[in-house]
Amino acid sequence: MKEKKKKTVYKEDTGETIYNMSFLDGMTPEEEEELDKKKRNRPLVTGGERWAMIKAAIVVYGPVLLCCVLAFGLAALLLYLFLI
C-alpha cells in the first residue's frame, strides 16, 4: 500500500525579524550622532556672506554654463540646417 504524504506544516508569521529594522522610519542612531557632530562643527555664515558666495559662484560658473548652452544651440542649429 502507498504511504500517505505528510502535510507540510508552515509556522505562522509572527512578524519577527532577524535584523533590527527600526531605522527604516528614519536615520540610524549612529547617523544621527554623526549629523549632530557635523552641524556643530560647520562654520556660521551670515546672510550677507551667503549671498556673496552665491554671487561669486554665478560669476564663476555663469560663463561656462553660457558656453555650454550656446554650443548646444549651435549644434542643434547645424543639425536643423543639415537635415532640411
Side-chain angles (χ1 to χ4, degrees), residues 11-43:
K11 292 183 180 179
E12 186 176 323
D13 185 17
T14 59
E16 294 180 72
T17 59
I18 297 172
Y19 186 72
N20 181 11
M21 298 290 185
S22 63
F23 66 88
L24 291 178
D25 293 337
M27 293 188 288
T28 62
E30 293 83 13
E31 289 174 340
E32 288 179 8
E33 288 176 12
E34 187 176 323
L35 185 62
D36 288 340
K37 287 178 184 177
K38 285 181 181 178
K39 283 184 179 179
R40 278 186 252 133
N41 290 337
R42 74 175 185 201

Side-chain angles (χ1 to χ4, degrees), residues 58-73:
I58 291 172
V59 167
V60 170
Y61 294 117
V64 175
L65 178 64
L66 185 63
C67 287
C68 291
V69 169
L70 289 176
F72 181 76

